[in-house]
Amino acid sequence: MIELSNFKLWLTENTGYCDKTISNIASRFKRANNILPWHNKEIYQFQLEQEDGFKKLSCTIRSQIKQSVKLYSEFINTPVEEVLDDRHHKYRVLSLFSNIGVAEAYLKEMGIDVVVANEIIERRAILYSKIYPDTHMICGDITNNNIFNKIIEESKDLAVNVIMATPPCQGMSTVGQKLEDDIRNRLICQVIDAVIEINPKYVLIENVPSFLSTEIEVEGKKVLIPELLKSKLGSKYCIEENVIDTKYYSVPQTRERAIVLMTRKDQTFKWVIPNQDDKIITMRDVIGDLPKLDPFITDVDEKEFLKIVPHYYERKIAAEKISKWHIPPHHIKRQVVAMQHTPTGCTAFDNELFYPKKANGEAVKGFRNTYKRQNWDTPAYTVTMDNRKISSQNNVHPGTLEYIDENGEGIYSDARALTLYELMKIMSIPDDWQIPDDTSEAFLRRIIGEGIPPLFVKKVFENLIKQESKRCQN
């Protein structure tokens, strides 16, 4: 079996090729494999050149295929980089279901090395490798034995002593379908197997609160996930279950999560959730100093556009100076007008005249948490994957009263969904997070809606370091 996804990752990490060139190299190697199934012997390229399917190709294509075979051979025969020559970092982490690494955003600055990561979706894995080039990303399905064994082997080689796992939650989430037999709910079994094989000192598992009340079928029997953890790992690990809200940990967002912390019983202290912070951070604290920003209206001409949002261009220029991700969202006129007439913290469904309407003028029927502005003086509502729409839940900027129009109606600023930059602030993502400039905004928006706020993860690991420091002092 060839490893195209991990080959692409290797090319990303070890060459200066652009994404298009990397994709072409992988495609050429796949073509070579179709002509002659790959085997890791020096004679492979000679045998390939003798095949009729190869000889029929143009000189240019043959040359490109030979180059791709050479690179794949180099990839497959390159040992995992030995990163343990300088073991000044005490904690070495395996990140499972890592996505693009939102949770890991602060760990490197804390002296915590994420040395191995696994993500099934190639696009996410490649972006992860660009953000964290020092981490060895293994792209593939952890339920595949070859991928699982590779994760275990490399984790052992790199002396992993912490596992951080954030398995997909869509099968349990209140905004998902919550299917009882959703196969994603069973991915905790691979986490358990990885803990047994690697034997780390500490384990962090994060999911939605219903994770702790979800049953899955194991060996023909229904079992609650916490009971499964105890039965498989309880003899060797102290297991702490918690349901937390990140707003109590200086994250300006209400986001409830189930957190399971495990400590191997031969350790001298237990890893526990830190105490809650004294202050609640609000929307005003993190984005209240940003200047007003209007949406781009997609279904009107320029004259009408500037009548609705006369300061659009000057505000857009000011926003671009703040961040490349502070980009005006795109909306249609009837939604923008409805939100211009909606005060902070309110839903447009309460407007007598400017309520949400369909294209034919009929009233929209929907939940009261849609077409709804956030509040300034509380943390943000939970960021979801569908965070770019006015018509989805709790997505609209709080806004401020700009003026009273000729009809006596209050007109409110920022009649739009939150920008990606504002979402990053609400998710506690650091300003210097190294996201490549060519990353798709729509892609990032969805990813951020799936993540755990990294500031909370930082505080959990800080508590581990603090406990370890106290032990050393004693």
Side-chain angles (χ1 to χ4, degrees), residues 35-52:
I35 296 171
L36 177 68
W38 164 258
H39 59 77
N40 191 19
K41 297 177 182 177
E42 291 185 5
I43 200 173
Y44 175 81
Q45 184 156 307
F46 172 78
Q47 293 176 333
L48 176 68
E49 292 174 13
Q50 311 313 307
E51 294 288 325
D52 289 340

Side-chain angles (χ1 to χ4, degrees), residues 382-393:
T382 301
V383 176
T384 67
M385 290 188 290
D386 198 13
N387 54 57
R388 64 184 179 85
K389 298 177 183 176
I390 286 175
S391 58
S392 193
Q393 58 188 35

Side-chain angles (χ1 to χ4, degrees), residues 12 19 100 126-132 324-325 420 424 433-441 443-444:
T12 299
D19 290 347
I100 67 168
I126 289 174
L127 182 54
Y128 185 106
S129 290
K130 290 178 179 178
I131 298 171
Y132 303 104
K324 62 190 175 188
W325 306 114
L420 179 55
M424 290 178 176
W433 202 41
Q434 298 300 305
I435 310 171
D437 290 347
D438 60 354
T439 305
S440 160
E441 184 207 4
F443 176 60
L444 275 178

Side-chain angles (χ1 to χ4, degrees), residues 45 52 61 92 103 111 132 149 153 181 260 295 322-323 359 435 451:
Q45 184 156 307
D52 289 340
I61 298 299
R92 293 173 297 282
Y132 303 104
N149 291 336
E153 179 185 346
D181 57 350
V260 178
I322 293 169
S323 170
I435 310 171

Side-chain angles (χ1 to χ4, degrees), residues 227-370:
E227 295 303 316
L228 180 65
L229 291 172
K230 290 173 185 173
S231 67
K232 297 292 186 181
L233 302 172
S235 63
K236 198 164 189 177
Y237 287 87
C238 298
I239 303 174
E240 296 280 332
E241 301 166 11
N242 308 268
V243 175
I244 62 90
D245 190 329
T246 59
K247 72 179 182 182
Y248 295 117
Y249 297 90
S250 298
V251 175
Q253 178 191 173
T254 293
R255 198 175 189 91
E256 289 191 333
R257 310 307 287 176
I259 304 294
V260 178
L261 295 178
M262 302 189 200
T263 306
R264 210 171 62 197
K265 289 184 176 179
D266 60 354
Q267 301 304 297
T268 56
F269 63 87
K270 287 199 300 184
W271 193 10
V272 296
I273 292 290
N275 294 329
Q276 294 180 2
D277 293 337
D278 294 331
K279 183 184 178 185
I280 299 291
I281 307 299
T282 69
M283 293 275 280
R284 192 182 301 279
D285 292 326
V286 290
I287 67 168
D289 61 341
L290 297 177
K292 296 170 184 174
L293 179 63
D294 299 314
F296 180 80
I297 304 174
T298 59
D299 58 341
V300 297
D301 60 27
E302 182 76 358
K303 182 178 179 180
E304 186 176 4
F305 174 64
L306 290 177
K307 183 178 180 181
I308 299 170
V309 284
H311 304 293
Y312 173 82
Y313 289 108
E314 63 196 71
R315 291 176 176 178
K316 178 176 180 286
I317 291 170
E320 289 171 346
K321 293 178 180 177
I322 293 169
S323 170
K324 62 190 175 188
W325 306 114
H326 200 33
I327 306 164
H330 290 203
H331 301 300
I332 56 177
K333 174 187 172 181
R334 62 181 184 274
Q335 291 184 341
V336 171
V337 171
M339 298 319 302
Q340 283 183 319
H341 290 81
T342 303
T344 302
C346 296
T347 173
F349 285 114
D350 288 339
N351 298 344
E352 292 185 8
L353 295 176
F354 299 96
Y355 49 82
K357 298 175 184 177
K358 299 178 183 178
N360 63 6
E362 292 180 7
V364 169
K365 295 179 181 180
F367 295 105
R368 290 183 58 80
N369 62 357
T370 62

